[in-house]
Amino acid sequence: MKKSLVLMLVLLFTLSANAFATKLVIWESPGPETEFINSVKDEFTAETGIEIEVVGIDQLSQADKLALDGPAGKGADIVVWPHDRIGKAVMQGIIAPLDVTEEDLSPYIESAVDAMRYGGKVYGIPYAMETVALIYNKDLLPVVPNTMESLFTIAKELTDGEQYGFLYDINNFYFSYGFLSGYGAYVFKETENGLNVEDIGLANEGAIEGAKLLLRFRKEGLIPEGTDYSVADGLFKEGKVAAIINGPWAFAEYKKAGVNYGIAPLPKLSNGEYPQTFIGVKGYYISAFSENKDAALKFILWLTNKKNAYRHYKMNAIIPTHKEVLAMPEFKQNEDFLAFATQASRGVPMPNVPEMMQVWEPMANALTYILKEEATPEVALELAVEQILENIWEMKN
């Protein structure tokens, strides 16, 4: 009897500690995203008495840090990253499934919620959708052509000295994937039972055709060697680039730089198809090590409600996932939103299985070999697929 009473008291204390959390720690990338949370968090504190501490940690570094800090009790309660990292995080045991109802999830568009699912459970609350599109300088390129071939021709005419017609981080698989998939490449084969990670379409005829287009960008002088994200982004902000491939996260900086920019979906390829860029969904997740899971869930549902989703959109130009915000008339009149929404409708969801993490490095290496002409597209891509399959086997064994 005495032992049962002690256990009951321990349980009650644990539940009380969770129910009456006084502080939550959230990690978020430094810059506009931390600024947004800091701008609204005091309202939540006034409503609930729960203090919110925002720590600036890059989204792509958070999982590794949480795996180290979480067990020691030093990690965050809430973390943030793109949906493609969910699978690995679940395997690592560092994020917890959310105790949410269909009513809790009903405000968000279905595709965004689906991106937060893994193994039949929901692990995050979505707040933004992302893809890349063509961002152009209206002073240099008043009208975007309908085809990549026409854009290629115009870009060559505009490339002169320190001015460039078309630049982007071409060695980055995330940015270049649309050109491969538009010709028929795929990462993992879609089946009725989910993704078949043993069927990789990154060395098929479509992938090879797309890689040849990338090589053409390099060989014909459009995108010189050494062009990475910071180079292309910086030159665009200086008004020296007519068109760039980038995402909505860049809007704020381009506005600050005073660039007269517009946004358009990527033009049609030579096969009559459009580039199929990756679609990403960013979400808030709760650490498996958090002792304040109930309070953390309450906060992320509050942070993504209609009022805050609209604020988030206005402040950081995100494409929100809240249905009511997306239905606002101003979105239908927002050319920026419409362009990205159109591109997203032509894109493909980035796989959220753990095996996706084994794709990035081999494909980055393959693109480097191709663009430096150290290997043909056929050879480089076949080697990349072999390396991906080997990496997956090692991960599982």
Side-chain angles (χ1 to χ4, degrees):
M1 180 68 180
K2 187 176 180 181
K3 187 175 181 180
S4 298
L5 181 60
V6 171
L7 287 173
M8 284 183 64
L9 288 171
V10 170
L11 179 60
L12 285 171
F13 176 79
T14 301
L15 291 173
S16 298
N18 190 47
F20 298 104
T22 57
K23 179 180 178 180
L24 293 171
V25 176
I26 178 170
W27 289 347
E28 178 57 288
S29 291
E33 290 304 310
T34 52
E35 291 169 10
F36 162 68
I37 300 174
N38 280 323
S39 74
V40 300
K41 67 178 185 179
D42 289 346
E43 293 180 24
F44 182 79
T45 301
E47 292 176 15
T48 65
I50 300 172
E51 179 187 350
I52 304 297
E53 180 184 353
V54 186
V55 181
I57 297 174
D58 185 82
Q59 290 185 4
L60 302 187
S61 302
Q62 290 182 23
D64 290 340
K65 184 171 177 59
L66 184 61
L68 294 173
D69 291 359
K74 298 185 295 182
D77 296 289
I78 301 164
V79 289
V80 190
W81 52 63
H83 79 277
D84 64 301
R85 294 173 177 257
I86 292 176
K88 182 178 179 182
V90 172
M91 285 186 65
Q92 289 177 297
I94 60 174
I95 57 174
L98 303 185
D99 185 14
V100 287
T101 65
E102 289 303 315
E103 184 178 356
D104 291 329
L105 300 173
S106 63
Y108 314 101
I109 62 171
E110 187 176 353
S111 59
V113 173
D114 287 344
M116 299 287 104
R117 299 184 192 274
Y118 186 82
K121 298 178 180 179
V122 176
Y123 282 88
I125 298 297
Y127 72 88
M129 298 180 291
E130 289 183 346
T131 191
V132 294
L134 193 75
I135 305 178
Y136 61 100
N137 185 325
K138 293 181 179 180
D139 296 332
L140 299 176
L141 184 67
V143 179
V144 174
N146 294 323
T147 67
M148 280 303 302
E149 189 60 39
S150 296
L151 177 62
F152 192 94
T153 300
I154 295 171
K156 285 190 71 173
E157 294 172 356
L158 291 171
T159 300
D160 183 25
E162 294 185 355
Q163 180 176 289
Y164 299 89
F166 177 56
L167 282 185
Y168 79 98
D169 189 4
I170 194 169
N171 287 79
N172 189 323
F173 179 57
Y174 174 76
F175 288 96
S176 286
Y177 176 71
F179 294 115
L180 278 62
S181 62
Y183 283 106
Y186 55 88
V187 181
F188 302 124
K189 187 71 172 180
E190 288 271 6
T191 73
E192 293 181 358
N193 298 316
L195 295 173
N196 180 357
V197 298
E198 295 180 355
D199 185 343
I200 299 173
L202 293 174
N204 63 17
E205 291 183 7
I208 293 167
E209 190 67 24
K212 288 179 179 178
L213 176 60
L214 302 183
L215 183 57
R216 188 179 170 202
F217 291 153
R218 173 61 51 79
K219 290 180 71 173
E220 298 195 28
L222 284 186
I223 304 178
E225 188 172 344
T227 302
D228 58 13
Y229 183 89
S230 62
V231 169
D233 183 63
L235 289 171
F236 189 82
K237 285 188 282 191
E238 293 174 16
K240 296 179 179 178
V241 180
I244 186 173
I245 296 176
N246 212 338
W249 54 82
F251 290 173
E253 291 298 317
Y254 294 163
K255 286 179 181 176
K256 282 184 184 178
V259 180
N260 180 23
Y261 72 86
I263 301 163
L266 289 169
K268 194 175 292 186
L269 298 169
S270 61
N271 63 348
E273 301 293 332
Y274 289 100
Q276 298 175 4
T277 51
F278 278 131
I279 302 168
V281 180
K282 289 188 175 181
Y284 297 111
Y285 313 95
I286 297 176
S287 166
F289 310 103
S290 172
E291 296 180 353
N292 305 307
K293 292 183 178 66
D294 291 344
L297 178 60
K298 183 175 183 178
F299 177 65
I300 60 178
L301 288 171
W302 177 86
L303 191 60
T304 55
N305 66 21
K306 180 183 177 182
K307 180 180 179 180
N308 288 321
Y310 179 74
R311 288 168 161 177
H312 206 166
Y313 151 70
K314 292 295 286 184
M315 185 170 178
N316 290 347
I318 64 165
I319 302 176
T321 59
H322 198 288
K323 293 176 184 175
E324 291 185 56
V325 179
L326 290 171
M328 289 180 174
E330 73 174 79
F331 273 90
K332 297 176 182 178
Q333 301 164 4
N334 186 321
E335 293 181 5
D336 293 353
F337 168 77
L338 286 177
F340 273 103
T342 300
Q343 184 60 54
S345 72
R346 298 170 181 168
V348 292
M350 190 182 300
N352 71 353
V353 293
E355 289 82 359
M356 184 62 191
M357 300 304 296
Q358 308 306 322
V359 173
W360 299 108
E361 186 175 350
M363 285 305 297
N365 292 337
L367 293 179
T368 297
Y369 295 142
I370 292 167
L371 294 170
K372 287 188 173 183
E373 297 188 79
E374 294 177 354
T376 64
E378 291 87 347
V379 171
L381 293 174
E382 188 60 43
L383 288 173
V385 169
E386 290 176 6
Q387 185 64 60
I388 293 166
L389 289 169
E390 183 178 329
N391 290 352
I392 291 172
W393 185 89
E394 290 179 355
M395 181 187 79
K396 291 182 174 180
N397 292 279

Coordinates of all heavy atoms in Angstrom, one line a residue, residues 312-378:
H312 N 3.4 35.6 -39.5 CA 4.6 34.9 -40.0 C 4.8 35.2 -41.5 O 5.8 35.5 -42.0 CB 4.5 33.4 -39.7 CG 5.8 32.8 -39.6 ND1 5.9 31.5 -39.1 CD2 7.1 33.1 -40.0 CE1 7.2 31.1 -39.1 NE2 7.9 32.1 -39.6
Y313 N 3.7 35.1 -42.2 CA 3.7 35.3 -43.7 C 4.1 36.8 -44.0 O 4.9 37.1 -44.8 CB 2.3 35.0 -44.3 CG 2.0 35.8 -45.5 CD1 2.6 35.6 -46.7 CD2 1.0 36.8 -45.4 CE1 2.3 36.4 -47.8 CE2 0.7 37.6 -46.6 CZ 1.4 37.4 -47.7 OH 1.1 38.1 -48.8
K314 N 3.5 37.7 -43.3 CA 3.7 39.1 -43.5 C 5.1 39.5 -43.1 O 5.8 40.3 -43.8 CB 2.7 40.0 -42.7 CG 1.3 39.9 -43.1 CD 1.1 40.4 -44.5 CE 1.2 41.9 -44.6 NZ 0.8 42.5 -46.0
M315 N 5.7 38.9 -42.1 CA 7.0 39.3 -41.6 C 8.1 38.6 -42.4 O 9.1 39.3 -42.8 CB 7.2 38.9 -40.1 CG 8.5 39.4 -39.5 SD 8.4 39.1 -37.7 CE 10.1 39.7 -37.3
N316 N 8.0 37.4 -42.8 CA 9.1 36.6 -43.4 C 8.7 36.1 -44.8 O 9.5 35.3 -45.4 CB 9.5 35.5 -42.5 CG 10.2 36.0 -41.3 OD1 10.6 37.1 -41.2 ND2 10.4 35.1 -40.3
A317 N 7.6 36.5 -45.3 CA 7.2 36.1 -46.7 C 7.2 34.5 -46.9 O 7.5 34.0 -47.9 CB 8.1 36.7 -47.7
I318 N 6.8 33.8 -45.8 CA 6.7 32.4 -46.0 C 5.4 32.0 -46.7 O 4.5 32.8 -46.8 CB 6.6 31.6 -44.6 CG1 5.4 32.1 -43.8 CG2 7.9 31.9 -43.8 CD1 5.1 31.2 -42.6
I319 N 5.3 30.8 -47.2 CA 4.0 30.3 -47.8 C 3.4 29.5 -46.6 O 3.9 28.4 -46.3 CB 4.3 29.4 -49.0 CG1 5.0 30.2 -50.1 CG2 2.9 28.9 -49.5 CD1 5.3 29.4 -51.3
P320 N 2.4 30.0 -46.0 CA 1.9 29.3 -44.8 C 1.1 28.1 -45.1 O 0.7 27.9 -46.2 CB 1.0 30.4 -44.1 CG 0.6 31.3 -45.3 CD 1.7 31.3 -46.3
T321 N 0.9 27.3 -44.1 CA 0.1 26.0 -44.2 C -1.3 26.1 -43.7 O -2.0 25.2 -43.8 CB 0.9 24.9 -43.5 OG1 1.0 25.2 -42.1 CG2 2.3 24.7 -44.1
H322 N -1.6 27.2 -43.1 CA -2.9 27.4 -42.5 C -4.0 27.7 -43.6 O -3.8 28.6 -44.3 CB -2.9 28.5 -41.4 CG -4.0 28.5 -40.5 ND1 -5.3 28.8 -40.8 CD2 -4.1 28.2 -39.2 CE1 -6.1 28.7 -39.8 NE2 -5.4 28.3 -38.7
K323 N -5.0 26.9 -43.6 CA -6.0 27.0 -44.7 C -6.7 28.4 -44.8 O -6.9 28.9 -45.8 CB -7.1 25.9 -44.5 CG -6.7 24.5 -44.6 CD -7.9 23.6 -44.3 CE -7.5 22.1 -44.3 NZ -8.6 21.2 -43.9
E324 N -7.0 28.9 -43.6 CA -7.7 30.2 -43.6 C -6.9 31.3 -44.1 O -7.3 32.3 -44.7 CB -8.3 30.5 -42.2 CG -9.4 29.6 -41.8 CD -10.0 30.0 -40.5 OE1 -10.5 31.1 -40.3 OE2 -10.0 29.1 -39.6
V325 N -5.6 31.3 -43.8 CA -4.6 32.3 -44.2 C -4.5 32.2 -45.8 O -4.5 33.2 -46.5 CB -3.3 32.2 -43.5 CG1 -2.3 33.2 -44.0 CG2 -3.5 32.3 -42.0
L326 N -4.3 30.9 -46.2 CA -4.2 30.7 -47.7 C -5.4 31.2 -48.5 O -5.3 31.5 -49.6 CB -3.9 29.2 -47.9 CG -2.6 28.7 -47.5 CD1 -2.6 27.2 -47.6 CD2 -1.4 29.3 -48.3
A327 N -6.6 31.2 -47.8 CA -7.8 31.5 -48.5 C -8.1 33.0 -48.5 O -9.0 33.5 -49.1 CB -9.0 30.8 -47.8
M328 N -7.2 33.8 -47.8 CA -7.4 35.3 -47.8 C -7.3 35.8 -49.2 O -6.4 35.4 -50.0 CB -6.4 35.9 -46.9 CG -6.6 35.6 -45.4 SD -5.3 36.4 -44.4 CE -6.0 36.1 -42.7
P329 N -8.1 36.8 -49.5 CA -8.1 37.4 -50.9 C -6.7 38.0 -51.3 O -6.3 37.9 -52.5 CB -9.1 38.6 -50.8 CG -10.0 38.1 -49.7 CD -9.2 37.4 -48.7
E330 N -6.0 38.5 -50.3 CA -4.7 39.1 -50.7 C -3.7 38.0 -51.3 O -2.8 38.4 -52.1 CB -4.0 39.8 -49.5 CG -3.5 38.9 -48.5 CD -2.7 39.7 -47.4 OE1 -3.4 40.3 -46.5 OE2 -1.5 39.8 -47.5
F331 N -3.9 36.8 -50.9 CA -3.0 35.7 -51.5 C -3.3 35.6 -53.0 O -2.4 35.3 -53.8 CB -3.2 34.4 -50.8 CG -2.3 34.3 -49.6 CD1 -2.8 34.7 -48.3 CD2 -1.1 33.8 -49.7 CE1 -2.0 34.6 -47.2 CE2 -0.2 33.7 -48.6 CZ -0.7 34.1 -47.3
K332 N -4.5 35.7 -53.4 CA -4.9 35.5 -54.8 C -4.4 36.7 -55.6 O -4.3 36.6 -56.8 CB -6.4 35.4 -54.9 CG -6.9 34.1 -54.2 CD -8.5 34.1 -54.3 CE -9.0 32.8 -53.6 NZ -10.5 32.8 -53.6
Q333 N -4.1 37.8 -55.0 CA -3.5 39.0 -55.6 C -2.0 39.1 -55.5 O -1.4 40.1 -56.0 CB -4.2 40.2 -55.1 CG -5.7 40.2 -55.2 CD -6.4 41.2 -54.4 OE1 -5.8 42.0 -53.7 NE2 -7.8 41.2 -54.4
N334 N -1.4 38.2 -54.8 CA 0.0 38.2 -54.5 C 0.7 37.4 -55.6 O 0.7 36.2 -55.6 CB 0.3 37.6 -53.1 CG 1.7 37.8 -52.7 OD1 2.6 37.7 -53.5 ND2 1.9 38.1 -51.4
E335 N 1.4 38.1 -56.5 CA 2.1 37.5 -57.6 C 3.2 36.5 -57.0 O 3.4 35.5 -57.6 CB 2.7 38.5 -58.5 CG 1.7 39.3 -59.2 CD 2.3 40.4 -60.2 OE1 3.6 40.3 -60.3 OE2 1.6 41.2 -60.8
D336 N 3.9 37.0 -56.0 CA 5.0 36.1 -55.4 C 4.4 34.8 -55.0 O 4.9 33.7 -55.3 CB 5.6 36.8 -54.2 CG 6.4 38.1 -54.6 OD1 6.5 38.3 -55.8 OD2 6.8 38.8 -53.7
F337 N 3.3 34.8 -54.2 CA 2.7 33.6 -53.7 C 2.2 32.7 -54.8 O 2.4 31.5 -54.9 CB 1.5 34.0 -52.8 CG 0.7 32.8 -52.4 CD1 1.1 31.8 -51.5 CD2 -0.5 32.6 -53.1 CE1 0.3 30.7 -51.2 CE2 -1.3 31.4 -52.8 CZ -0.9 30.5 -51.9
L338 N 1.6 33.3 -55.8 CA 1.0 32.6 -56.9 C 2.1 31.9 -57.7 O 1.9 30.7 -58.1 CB 0.2 33.5 -57.9 CG -1.2 33.9 -57.3 CD1 -1.8 34.9 -58.3 CD2 -2.1 32.7 -57.1
A339 N 3.2 32.5 -57.9 CA 4.3 31.9 -58.6 C 4.9 30.7 -57.9 O 5.1 29.6 -58.5 CB 5.4 32.9 -58.9
F340 N 5.1 30.8 -56.6 CA 5.6 29.7 -55.8 C 4.5 28.6 -55.7 O 4.9 27.4 -55.7 CB 6.1 30.1 -54.4 CG 7.5 30.6 -54.4 CD1 7.8 31.9 -54.4 CD2 8.5 29.7 -54.5 CE1 9.1 32.4 -54.4 CE2 9.9 30.1 -54.5 CZ 10.1 31.5 -54.5
A341 N 3.3 29.0 -55.5 CA 2.2 28.0 -55.5 C 2.1 27.2 -56.7 O 1.9 26.0 -56.7 CB 0.9 28.7 -55.2
T342 N 2.3 27.9 -57.9 CA 2.3 27.2 -59.2 C 3.4 26.2 -59.3 O 3.3 25.1 -59.7 CB 2.3 28.2 -60.3 OG1 1.2 29.1 -60.2 CG2 2.3 27.5 -61.7
Q343 N 4.6 26.7 -58.9 CA 5.8 25.8 -59.0 C 5.6 24.6 -58.0 O 6.0 23.5 -58.4 CB 7.1 26.6 -58.6 CG 8.3 25.8 -58.7 CD 8.6 25.3 -60.1 OE1 8.6 26.1 -61.1 NE2 8.8 24.0 -60.3
A344 N 5.1 24.9 -56.8 CA 4.9 23.8 -55.9 C 3.9 22.8 -56.4 O 4.1 21.6 -56.2 CB 4.4 24.3 -54.6
S345 N 2.9 23.2 -57.2 CA 1.9 22.3 -57.8 C 2.6 21.4 -58.8 O 2.1 20.3 -59.1 CB 0.8 23.0 -58.4 OG 1.2 23.7 -59.6
R346 N 3.7 21.8 -59.4 CA 4.5 21.0 -60.3 C 5.6 20.2 -59.7 O 6.3 19.5 -60.4 CB 5.1 22.0 -61.4 CG 4.0 22.7 -62.2 CD 4.7 23.8 -63.1 NE 3.7 24.5 -63.8 CZ 3.9 25.7 -64.5 NH1 5.1 26.2 -64.5 NH2 3.0 26.3 -65.1
G347 N 5.8 20.4 -58.4 CA 6.9 19.8 -57.8 C 6.6 18.4 -57.2 O 5.5 17.9 -57.4
V348 N 7.6 17.8 -56.5 CA 7.4 16.5 -55.9 C 7.9 16.6 -54.4 O 8.9 17.3 -54.1 CB 8.2 15.4 -56.6 CG1 7.7 15.2 -58.0 CG2 9.7 15.9 -56.7
P349 N 7.1 16.0 -53.5 CA 7.5 16.1 -52.1 C 8.9 15.4 -51.9 O 9.2 14.4 -52.4 CB 6.4 15.3 -51.4 CG 5.3 15.3 -52.3 CD 5.9 15.3 -53.7
M350 N 9.7 16.1 -51.1 CA 11.0 15.5 -50.8 C 10.8 14.3 -49.9 O 10.0 14.4 -48.9 CB 11.9 16.5 -50.1 CG 13.3 16.1 -49.9 SD 14.3 17.3 -49.0 CE 14.1 18.7 -50.1
P351 N 11.4 13.1 -50.2 CA 11.2 11.9 -49.3 C 11.6 12.2 -47.9 O 12.6 12.9 -47.6 CB 12.1 10.9 -50.0 CG 12.2 11.3 -51.4 CD 12.2 12.8 -51.3
N352 N 10.7 11.8 -46.9 CA 11.1 12.0 -45.5 C 11.6 10.7 -44.8 O 11.6 10.6 -43.6 CB 9.9 12.6 -44.8 CG 8.7 11.6 -44.5 OD1 8.8 10.5 -45.1 ND2 7.7 12.0 -43.8
V353 N 11.9 9.7 -45.7 CA 12.4 8.5 -45.1 C 13.9 8.7 -44.7 O 14.6 9.5 -45.3 CB 12.3 7.3 -46.1 CG1 10.9 6.9 -46.3 CG2 13.0 7.7 -47.4
P354 N 14.4 8.0 -43.7 CA 15.8 8.1 -43.3 C 16.8 7.9 -44.4 O 17.9 8.6 -44.4 CB 16.0 7.1 -42.2 CG 14.6 6.8 -41.7 CD 13.7 6.9 -42.9
E355 N 16.5 7.1 -45.4 CA 17.4 6.8 -46.4 C 17.7 8.0 -47.3 O 18.7 8.1 -48.0 CB 16.8 5.7 -47.3 CG 16.8 4.3 -46.7 CD 15.6 4.1 -45.8 OE1 14.7 5.0 -45.6 OE2 15.4 3.0 -45.2
M356 N 16.8 9.0 -47.2 CA 17.1 10.2 -48.0 C 18.4 10.9 -47.6 O 19.0 11.6 -48.4 CB 15.9 11.2 -47.9 CG 16.0 12.5 -48.7 SD 16.0 12.1 -50.5 CE 16.5 13.7 -51.2
M357 N 18.7 10.8 -46.4 CA 20.0 11.4 -45.9 C 21.2 10.8 -46.6 O 22.3 11.5 -46.6 CB 20.1 11.2 -44.4 CG 18.9 11.8 -43.6 SD 18.7 13.6 -43.9 CE 20.2 14.3 -43.3
Q358 N 21.1 9.7 -47.2 CA 22.2 9.0 -47.8 C 22.3 9.5 -49.3 O 23.2 9.1 -50.0 CB 22.1 7.5 -47.8 CG 21.8 6.9 -46.4 CD 22.9 7.4 -45.4 OE1 24.1 7.5 -45.7 NE2 22.5 7.7 -44.2
V359 N 21.4 10.3 -49.7 CA 21.4 10.7 -51.1 C 22.2 12.0 -51.4 O 22.9 12.1 -52.4 CB 19.9 11.0 -51.6 CG1 19.9 11.6 -53.0 CG2 19.1 9.7 -51.5
W360 N 22.2 12.9 -50.5 CA 22.8 14.3 -50.7 C 24.2 14.3 -51.1 O 24.6 14.9 -52.1 CB 22.6 15.1 -49.5 CG 21.1 15.3 -49.1 CD1 20.4 14.8 -48.1 CD2 20.1 16.1 -49.9 NE1 19.1 15.1 -48.1 CE2 18.9 15.9 -49.2 CE3 20.2 16.8 -51.0 CZ2 17.7 16.6 -49.6 CZ3 19.0 17.5 -51.5 CH2 17.8 17.3 -50.8
E361 N 25.1 13.6 -50.3 CA 26.5 13.7 -50.6 C 26.9 13.0 -51.9 O 27.6 13.6 -52.7 CB 27.3 13.1 -49.5 CG 28.8 13.3 -49.6 CD 29.6 12.8 -48.4 OE1 29.0 12.5 -47.4 OE2 30.9 12.7 -48.5
P362 N 26.4 11.8 -52.2 CA 26.8 11.2 -53.5 C 26.3 12.0 -54.7 O 27.0 12.1 -55.7 CB 26.1 9.8 -53.4 CG 26.0 9.5 -52.0 CD 25.7 10.8 -51.3
M363 N 25.1 12.6 -54.6 CA 24.6 13.4 -55.7 C 25.4 14.7 -55.8 O 25.6 15.2 -57.0 CB 23.1 13.7 -55.6 CG 22.3 12.5 -55.9 SD 22.6 11.8 -57.5 CE 22.1 13.1 -58.6
A364 N 25.8 15.3 -54.7 CA 26.6 16.5 -54.8 C 28.0 16.2 -55.5 O 28.4 17.0 -56.3 CB 26.9 17.1 -53.4
N365 N 28.5 15.1 -55.1 CA 29.8 14.7 -55.7 C 29.6 14.4 -57.2 O 30.4 14.8 -58.1 CB 30.3 13.4 -55.1 CG 30.8 13.6 -53.6 OD1 31.1 14.8 -53.3 ND2 30.8 12.6 -52.8
A366 N 28.5 13.8 -57.6 CA 28.2 13.5 -59.0 C 28.1 14.8 -59.8 O 28.7 14.9 -60.9 CB 26.9 12.7 -59.1
L367 N 27.4 15.7 -59.3 CA 27.2 17.0 -60.0 C 28.6 17.7 -60.1 O 28.9 18.3 -61.2 CB 26.2 17.9 -59.2 CG 24.8 17.4 -59.2 CD1 23.9 18.4 -58.4 CD2 24.3 17.3 -60.6
T368 N 29.4 17.6 -59.1 CA 30.8 18.2 -59.2 C 31.6 17.6 -60.3 O 32.2 18.3 -61.1 CB 31.5 18.1 -57.9 OG1 30.8 18.8 -56.9 CG2 32.9 18.6 -58.0
Y369 N 31.6 16.2 -60.4 CA 32.3 15.5 -61.4 C 31.8 15.9 -62.8 O 32.6 16.1 -63.7 CB 32.2 14.0 -61.2 CG 32.8 13.5 -59.9 CD1 32.3 12.4 -59.2 CD2 34.0 14.0 -59.5 CE1 32.8 12.0 -58.1 CE2 34.6 13.6 -58.3 CZ 34.0 12.5 -57.6 OH 34.6 12.1 -56.5
I370 N 30.5 16.0 -62.9 CA 29.9 16.3 -64.2 C 30.3 17.7 -64.7 O 30.7 17.9 -65.8 CB 28.3 16.1 -64.2 CG1 28.0 14.7 -64.0 CG2 27.7 16.7 -65.4 CD1 26.5 14.4 -63.6
L371 N 30.1 18.6 -63.8 CA 30.3 20.1 -64.1 C 31.8 20.4 -64.3 O 32.1 21.3 -65.1 CB 29.7 21.0 -63.1 CG 28.2 20.9 -62.9 CD1 27.7 21.6 -61.7 CD2 27.6 21.5 -64.2
K372 N 32.7 19.6 -63.7 CA 34.1 19.8 -64.0 C 34.6 18.9 -65.1 O 35.8 18.9 -65.5 CB 34.9 19.4 -62.7 CG 34.8 20.4 -61.6 CD 35.8 20.1 -60.5 CE 35.8 21.2 -59.4 NZ 36.8 20.9 -58.3
E373 N 33.7 18.2 -65.7 CA 33.9 17.2 -66.8 C 35.0 16.2 -66.5 O 35.8 15.8 -67.3 CB 34.3 18.0 -68.1 CG 33.2 18.9 -68.6 CD 33.6 19.5 -70.0 OE1 33.4 18.8 -71.0 OE2 34.0 20.7 -70.0
E374 N 34.9 15.8 -65.2 CA 35.8 14.7 -64.8 C 35.2 13.3 -65.0 O 35.8 12.3 -64.8 CB 36.2 14.9 -63.3 CG 37.0 16.2 -63.0 CD 37.3 16.4 -61.6 OE1 36.7 15.7 -60.7 OE2 38.0 17.3 -61.3
A375 N 33.9 13.4 -65.3 CA 33.2 12.1 -65.6 C 31.9 12.5 -66.4 O 31.4 13.6 -66.3 CB 32.7 11.4 -64.3
T376 N 31.5 11.6 -67.3 CA 30.3 11.9 -68.1 C 29.1 11.8 -67.1 O 29.1 11.1 -66.1 CB 30.1 10.8 -69.2 OG1 30.0 9.5 -68.6 CG2 31.4 10.8 -70.1
P377 N 28.0 12.4 -67.5 CA 26.7 12.2 -66.7 C 26.4 10.7 -66.5 O 26.0 10.4 -65.4 CB 25.7 12.9 -67.5 CG 26.4 14.0 -68.3 CD 27.7 13.3 -68.6
E378 N 26.5 9.9 -67.5 CA 26.2 8.5 -67.4 C 27.0 7.8 -66.3 O 26.5 7.1 -65.4 CB 26.4 7.8 -68.7 CG 25.5 8.2 -69.8 CD 25.9 9.4 -70.6 OE1 26.9 10.1 -70.2 OE2 25.3 9.6 -71.7

